[in-house]
Amino acid sequence: MNAPQFWTIPPSELSPSQLAIKTQALQERLVSICDQFDDVRFATSLAAEDMVITDAITQAKLPIQFFTLATGRLHQETVDLVKTTEDHYQISITKVYPEESDVQSYIDQYGINGFYDGEEAKKACCGARKIKPLNTALQGAKAWLSGQRREQSTTRTELNFAEHDDARGIEKFNPLFDWTEADVWAYIKQENVLIHPLHLKGYPSIGCEPCTRQVKQGEDIRAGRWWWLQSDSKECGLHINR
């Protein structure tokens, strides 16, 4: 039996001039956000898109605060990359942890890996480890950024650059909303951006360790997230605005 072939970093057909246009537009978007709001925060998961945004923010020396959701179930490679990124860009990334009581309540009700039992348990785990910490991280912020792209999944095809986060009462921006996967990797290659080591092992999308697997060639790039659930369940709830 042949070994499965996993996802690999895609080649880019962008010319240098095309990439320069996209890069300039990204910088202009970020500058515009900072011109409008005096407390902007960026939620980075250290994935490829987020590393592009991190690079663009630091190149422009913009006053955007970085934070990451330290769920307690991340790959060690993700944990290590936080420190590497801080050192490389000379920035501080705030680690936002879940409340121990919330995690324990989840374990008491569902078990440590209860999310494998279905959508309800998965949502409860994400609620304790990701959504509630995100709400805490955004308290007092005027706007926040995500690395979402339209091309990533069927649930994001209508994604816009700017949207109002009704759930938190602040503005939200998706500066890479119209970028393709190849655009992202073209920028990374040109700017020599740090990348998550799991991208080199067949992981196009990376979340918590027990909820992420490698993706085979030809599969949707988010097929490795919560793979035991239906395709319309490939979101953790962080980006639900209501």
Side-chain angles (χ1 to χ4, degrees), residues 47-81:
E49 290 82 3
D50 294 343
M51 297 306 289
V52 167
I53 295 173
T54 297
D55 186 83
I57 289 171
T58 55
Q59 284 201 39
K61 298 181 171 56
L62 297 173
I64 296 174
Q65 300 176 49
F66 299 86
F67 71 90
T68 192
L69 302 177
T71 67
R73 301 301 303 271
L74 300 175
H75 297 82
Q76 186 59 47
E77 291 92 337
T78 304
V79 176
D80 294 342
L81 186 56

Side-chain angles (χ1 to χ4, degrees), residues 22-38:
K22 281 193 167 288
T23 299
Q24 181 178 351
L26 172 59
Q27 292 280 3
E28 290 173 352
R29 289 170 182 176
L30 294 171
V31 169
S32 174
I33 294 166
C34 290
D35 285 344
Q36 296 176 66
F37 303 97
D38 60 8

Side-chain angles (χ1 to χ4, degrees), residues 141-215:
K142 297 298 189 298
W144 70 290
L145 312 180
S146 90
Q148 292 186 105
R149 295 184 296 106
R150 285 178 175 171
E151 191 189 62
Q152 285 173 323
S153 70
T154 56
T155 59
R156 299 179 180 179
T157 55
E158 302 300 318
L159 188 70
N160 293 312
F161 166 56
E163 54 186 317
H164 184 72
D165 186 339
D166 295 323
R168 301 169 185 92
I170 60 176
E171 298 307 307
K172 178 184 175 185
F173 295 90
N174 309 297
L176 298 181
F177 78 105
D178 55 353
W179 282 43
T180 67
E181 184 185 27
D183 294 341
V184 169
W185 288 102
Y187 181 101
I188 287 172
K189 182 178 180 180
Q190 174 174 290
E191 301 298 328
N192 198 28
V193 176
L194 294 173
I195 64 170
H196 199 299
L198 290 181
H199 288 316
L200 301 174
K201 298 180 179 180
Y203 292 78
S205 179
I206 303 164
C208 289
E209 182 172 19
C211 301
T212 308
R213 65 165 174 81
Q214 293 164 299
V215 169

Side-chain angles (χ1 to χ4, degrees), residues 73 106 113-118 121-122 209-212 227-229:
R73 301 301 303 271
Y106 175 84
N113 292 328
F115 39 79
Y116 290 129
D117 293 335
K122 170 254 200 174
E209 182 172 19
C211 301
T212 308
W227 67 91
W228 63 93
L229 297 172

Side-chain angles (χ1 to χ4, degrees), residues 33-46:
I33 294 166
C34 290
D35 285 344
Q36 296 176 66
F37 303 97
D38 60 8
D39 187 343
V40 182
R41 304 179 194 178
F42 173 41
T44 175
S45 68
L46 292 303

